[in-house]
């Protein structure tokens, strides 16, 4: 039964899709739907960064800027040049990919973490440009009046419709990320992460693959930025600072490197937690993130997605040898 | 014509001359050993042949291609495979996935066909899995396919590196101290595997300190000492060469 085998192989993905896509059927509450929408755009960025960090072992400290390219690209092209939003989204993504390529080619040829440094600088430059190029970006005032997305007569300004659109795209990105992990290219990325010279000697053009995955992650981030601004109809530079880049990297680590589902866990936590903390005191958010990052690295090096291993370990300790070895399979990237 | 020609190759690291004007060649189907005391320049030479490093002067020709000008992944695609003296197994990937990476150069699926898992991609994945498993069985690791590579004992790590490289179907295989850390039984097994690989038509150049193994398995031996070739010939001749004996003074050949 190929259909049964298919269902079994993708059970987690299917279950998650059903749950998330049915959410608007249960609530029309704009606040809740907005949180879910932000979770979707966040997930898009984190998925790309998860591939870059978890698979290829490269760190980008400039992913806020790639999201910023999408956000501002869409904002400027639709409000100032009255361009079609979908075309603007596409062009912004192409621009983000091109910039990622320009940064990646010289830095990823070298071993070590040159990419982290280069993207850190790049993030700073983009932020400064967003603030300073007032004639184009309107400086710190930001750009308002960004139109909603439409397809024919369907208006995605409606929160429920937008939910289906943005989650449809996020789920698609999740799917293709899971597919990538379980492929020739995915394996080559994990290989080059562990022993680059060995991967090269097996025929992997390692710098090409690294640049490629950086470009993919830039496109994911850019698309997320575009969707975001078409939802909130406004953009300003404060959303795209280095702080946001650091939060993105934190999200990947807390969620779990090396497992695509970690991006889902991480994004959910990092969107929901601040919403929850907001009720008490907003100032604590960064602090809580920092503490969580440290706790994760100490107690859960595989990230949230590996909590099963932790649970198993704790249980083993309590039960002693009676429990026997822990054999539950980890949720792998390909499920 | 020779398959591999090392022509007056020198390699300097700053003031250190790791290789001085080394020349030899390798014919199709040969097993050739490269021996010499520690620091003689053996690994350095392997790095030049596999495109990881560039000679300071001289050339390494593989058929008519100058490997000294090519990148490692290009050398691999041309048919140069290698293993490493200091294990470069992909730890915490499965044994099978390690070999699948070795199959990389024989595959075509790019990033977009991976994204979309197109039928062609799925067919290729099945073929890769089959071929990789077959290659693992060739070195006797078939039943460890799904273990984490990091858990393998030293000897099996060498074998995994060999399998990983064989998966790329090399014309020539460079083995850097494959018998290091093996006991006698494992060494004998390794010799058997190397012979089978040779019988399958792969030309082999190997670096090894275990002289029993070298003498047993190789058709010809090249001896390096302080970066210079001091002897070349069949094992029996090398064993009795006064200069070689001097270089290995105190060691039992
Ligand atoms: N990248 C490098 N930079 C500087 N010196 C190097 C480099 N690689 C090798 N050397 C030096 O070149 C010489 C030859 O080293 P090589 O590793 O080729 O020796 P080897 O014959 O493989 O020795 P062993 O039997 O110990 O593996 C040594 O003196 C070594 O220190
Ligand atoms: Mg060596």
């Amino acid at each position: 039964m190929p259909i049964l085998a298919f269902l079994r192989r993708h059970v987690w993905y299917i279950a998650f899709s059903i749950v998330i896509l049915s959410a608007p059927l249960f609530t029309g509450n704009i606040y809740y739907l907005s949180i879910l929408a932000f979770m979707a755009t966040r997930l898009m960025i984190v998925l790309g960064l998860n591939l870059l960090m978890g698979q290829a072992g490269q760190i980008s400290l400039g992913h806020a800027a790639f999201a910023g390219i999408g956000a501002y690209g869409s904002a400027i092209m639709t409000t100032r040049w009255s361009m079609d939003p979908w075309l603007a989204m596409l062009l912004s993504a192409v621009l983000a990919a091109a910039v990622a390529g320009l940064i990646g080619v010289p830095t990823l040829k070298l071993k070590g973490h040159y990419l982290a440094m280069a993207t850190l600088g790049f993030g700073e430059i983009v932020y400064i440009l967003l603030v300073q190029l007032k004639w184009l970006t309107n400086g710190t005032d930001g750009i308002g009046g960004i139109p909603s997305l439409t397809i024919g007569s369907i208006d995605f300004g409606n929160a429920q419709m937008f939910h289906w659109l943005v989650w449809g795209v996020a789920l698609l990105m999740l799917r293709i990320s899971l597919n990538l992990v379980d492929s020739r290219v995915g394996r080559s990325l994990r290989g080059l992460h562990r022993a680059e010279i060995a991967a090269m000697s097996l025929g992997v053009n390692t710098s090409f693959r690294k640049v490629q995955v950086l470009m993919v992650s830039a496109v994911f981030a850019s698309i997320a930025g575009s969707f975001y601004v078409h939802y909130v109809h406004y953009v300003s530079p404060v959303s795209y600072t280095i702080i946001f880049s650091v939060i993105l990297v934190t999200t990947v680590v807390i969620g779990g490197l090396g497992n695509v589902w970690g991006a889902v866990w991480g994004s959910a936590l990092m969107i929901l937690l601040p919403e929850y903390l907001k009720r008490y005191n907003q100032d604590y958010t960064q602090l809580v993130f920092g503490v969580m990052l440290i706790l994760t690295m100490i107690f859960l090096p595989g990230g949230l997605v590996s909590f099963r291993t932790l649970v198993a370990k704790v249980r083993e300790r309590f039960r002693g040898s009676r429990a026997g070895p822990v054999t539950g399979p980890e949720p792998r990237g390909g499920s | 014509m020779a398959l591999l020609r090392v022509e007056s190759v020198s390699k300097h690291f700053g003031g250190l001359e790791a290789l001085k004007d080394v020349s030899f060649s390798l014919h199709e189907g040969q097993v050739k050993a490269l021996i010499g005391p520690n620091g003689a320049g053996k690994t350095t030479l392997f790095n030049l042949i596999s495109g990881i490093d560039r000679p300071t002067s001289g050339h390494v020709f593989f058929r008519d291609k100058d490997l000294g000008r090519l990148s490692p992944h290009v050398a691999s695609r041309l048919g140069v495979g290698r293993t490493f003296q200091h294990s470069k197994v992909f730890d915490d990937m499965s044994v099978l996935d390690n070999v699948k990476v070795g199959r990389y150069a024989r595959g075509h699926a790019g990033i977009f066909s991976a994204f979309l898992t197109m039928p062609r991609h799925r067919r290729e994945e099945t073929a890769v899995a089959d071929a990789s498993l077959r290659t693992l069985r060739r070195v006797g690791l078939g039943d460890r396919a799904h273990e984490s590579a990091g858990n393998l004992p030293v000897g099996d790590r060498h074998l995994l590196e060999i399998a990983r490289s064989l998966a790329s179907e090399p014309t020539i295989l460079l083995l850097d101290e494959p018998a290091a850390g093996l006991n006698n039984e494992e060494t004998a097994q390794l010799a058997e595997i190397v012979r089978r690989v040779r019988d399958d038509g792969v030309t082999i150049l190997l670096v090894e300190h275990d002289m029993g193994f070298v003498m047993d398995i190789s058709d010809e031996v090249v001896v390096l000492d302080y970066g210079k070739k001091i002897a070349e010939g069949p094992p029996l001749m090398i064993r009795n060469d006064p200069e070689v004996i001097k270089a290995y003074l105190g060691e039992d050949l």
Side-chain angles (χ1 to χ4, degrees), chain A residues 241-312:
Chain A
T241 57
I242 172 75
I243 305 279
F244 186 41
S245 289
V246 172
I247 288 178
L248 290 170
V249 170
T250 308
T251 310
V252 171
V253 174
I254 289 180
L257 284 162
N259 186 320
V260 171
W261 285 99
V264 176
W265 288 102
S267 306
L269 183 79
M270 299 295 270
I271 289 285
L272 293 178
L273 196 69
E275 286 302 323
Y276 182 72
L277 290 176
K278 227 163 38 183
R279 299 184 195 172
Y280 303 100
N281 188 339
Q282 211 156 6
D283 298 342
Y284 286 133
T285 313
Q286 311 288 353
L287 182 69
V288 171
F289 283 172
V291 171
M292 271 186 348
L293 181 64
I294 292 167
L295 290 179
T296 307
M297 294 203 297
I298 296 173
F299 294 109
L300 209 58
L304 286 178
V305 76
S306 70
F307 68 95
R308 274 210 246 170
T309 332
L310 184 76
V311 171

Side-chain angles (χ1 to χ4, degrees), chain B:
Chain B
M1 201 182 78
L3 182 64
L4 184 81
R5 284 176 294 140
V6 175
E7 291 185 354
S8 330
V9 162
S10 298
K11 177 69 186 176
H12 300 178
F13 293 112
L16 180 88
E17 293 180 77
L19 290 171
K20 293 171 215 164
D21 199 26
V22 175
S23 301
F24 65 87
S25 56
L26 203 60
H27 293 275
E28 204 138 4
Q30 246 188 339
V31 176
K32 197 153 194 162
L34 186 60
I35 66 169
N38 291 116
K42 307 178 294 287
T43 299
T44 301
L45 186 57
F46 267 25
N47 287 343
L48 301 184
I49 299 173
S50 50
I52 288 168
D53 225 332
R54 307 250 169 275
T56 307
S57 64
H59 298 276
V60 179
F61 286 107
F62 178 70
R63 297 206 168 106
D64 55 344
K65 292 278 195 319
D66 190 345
L67 293 177
R69 309 269 172 277
L70 300 175
S71 313
H73 68 272
V74 180
S76 158
R77 274 147 193 256
L78 288 175
V80 180
R82 74 168 290 180
T83 65
F84 295 87
Q85 179 176 359
H86 303 289
S87 171
K88 295 200 192 301
V89 159
F90 305 133
D91 287 330
D92 71 88
M93 283 170 71
S94 77
V95 169
L96 185 62
D97 274 358
N98 265 266
V99 181
K100 282 184 178 176
V101 178
R103 198 83 201 143
Y104 182 91
R106 298 285 148 196
H108 303 282
I111 200 161
F112 292 105
S113 75
F115 280 161
L116 305 175
T117 46
M118 301 200 275
R120 193 166 52 97
H121 173 265
R122 240 171 294 157
R123 271 198 301 280
E124 187 177 301
E125 279 291 295
T126 318
V128 165
D130 290 349
S132 303
L133 209 54
R134 246 181 289 128
T135 311
L136 267 178
R137 293 207 189 98
R138 264 168 95 183
V139 302
L141 287 178
D143 46 358
R144 311 201 74 158
H146 300 288
E147 283 178 42
S148 169
N151 293 341
L152 292 183
V154 188
D156 288 348
R157 291 171 77 88
H158 288 298
L159 293 180
L160 176 54
E161 282 208 19
I162 292 175
R164 195 173 65 175
S165 189
L166 284 177
S168 69
E169 296 176 17
T171 310
I172 179 171
L173 182 57
L174 314 174
L175 303 174
D176 201 346
E177 305 202 13
L182 301 195
N183 62 31
N184 288 341
E185 194 192 327
E186 290 168 329
T187 306
Q189 252 168 23
L190 176 70
E192 197 41 51
I193 289 167
V194 172
R195 255 185 232 110
R196 277 210 302 269
V197 170
R198 192 254 337 256
D199 292 344
D200 289 342
V202 181
T203 306
I204 293 169
L205 180 63
L206 64 93
V207 165
E208 190 42 69
H209 286 293
D210 182 330
M211 286 309 143
F213 180 82
V214 167
M215 299 298 164
D216 177 33
I217 204 166
S218 32
D219 306 315
E220 271 192 319
V221 181
V222 171
V223 189
L224 287 183
D225 189 26
Y226 292 109
K228 268 171 57 181
K229 183 171 97 172
I230 57 169
E232 178 174 10
L236 216 65
M237 199 179 98
I238 295 297
R239 197 194 281 264
N240 299 309
D241 186 306
E243 246 202 286
V244 177
I245 292 171
K246 207 168 76 194
Y248 275 98
L249 203 66
E251 281 186 52
D252 197 11
L253 277 191

